[in-house]
Amino acid sequence: MQRPLISILCAIRNDARFIKETLESVLRQTYSNFEVIVMDGVSTDGTVEIVQQMAQKDKRIIFKSEPDKGQWQALDRALAIAKGEFIAQVCGQDGYLNKEWLSQAIAAF
């Protein structure tokens, strides 16, 4: 049975201090059928370079950096390109403490 794709939306701007740890927490999930769509609002603090490097190493990371009118517009843009059957959100300064979180969420659905 095919496991459903989860699209994880992440709107960021100038989150260089936290974004690597956040994305690593997503990539550590035991449930691996996901895409994480990172929409950056033209960061100026090194965020772009960090996410680009991570996206080159893991094709589940989809990254775009373009001007926006704030987090909600960025999330709308991410949702427009999401391919998942389920949608989740993670902020650039958050992450998943539980590496089973996506697996548990899918089991609940």
Side-chain angles (χ1 to χ4, degrees):
M1 181 168 107
Q2 176 73 17
R3 299 187 319 165
L5 179 67
I6 301 172
S7 294
I8 303 167
L9 314 182
C10 182
I12 60 173
R13 184 164 189 273
N14 291 330
D15 284 323
R17 182 172 169 201
F18 303 104
I19 193 62
K20 183 176 182 189
E21 183 178 352
T22 296
L23 290 177
E24 285 174 345
S25 81
V26 174
L27 298 176
R28 278 193 302 268
Q29 290 293 298
T30 58
Y31 189 90
S32 60
N33 194 26
F34 64 83
E35 62 182 2
V36 57
I37 304 168
V38 181
M39 298 297 285
D40 174 71
V42 191
S43 292
T44 58
D45 68 344
T47 298
V48 171
E49 293 79 12
I50 293 167
V51 179
Q52 284 175 334
Q53 289 173 1
M54 295 185 77
Q56 287 175 354
K57 294 178 184 175
D58 195 312
K59 298 303 177 195
R60 295 175 296 177
I61 299 173
I62 300 162
F63 179 62
K64 295 190 181 279
S65 182
E66 56 194 33
D68 60 43
K69 294 178 182 173
Q71 180 179 16
W72 296 112
Q73 185 180 35
L75 289 172
D76 284 344
R77 289 177 178 175
L79 185 59
I81 62 173
K83 296 179 181 138
E85 184 175 341
F86 296 99
I87 303 294
Q89 180 187 354
V90 66
C91 294
Q93 299 177 9
D94 289 338
Y96 298 124
L97 295 176
N98 178 354
K99 66 181 182 177
E100 298 287 329
W101 192 88
L102 293 177
S103 292
Q104 292 171 353
I106 288 296
F109 285 115

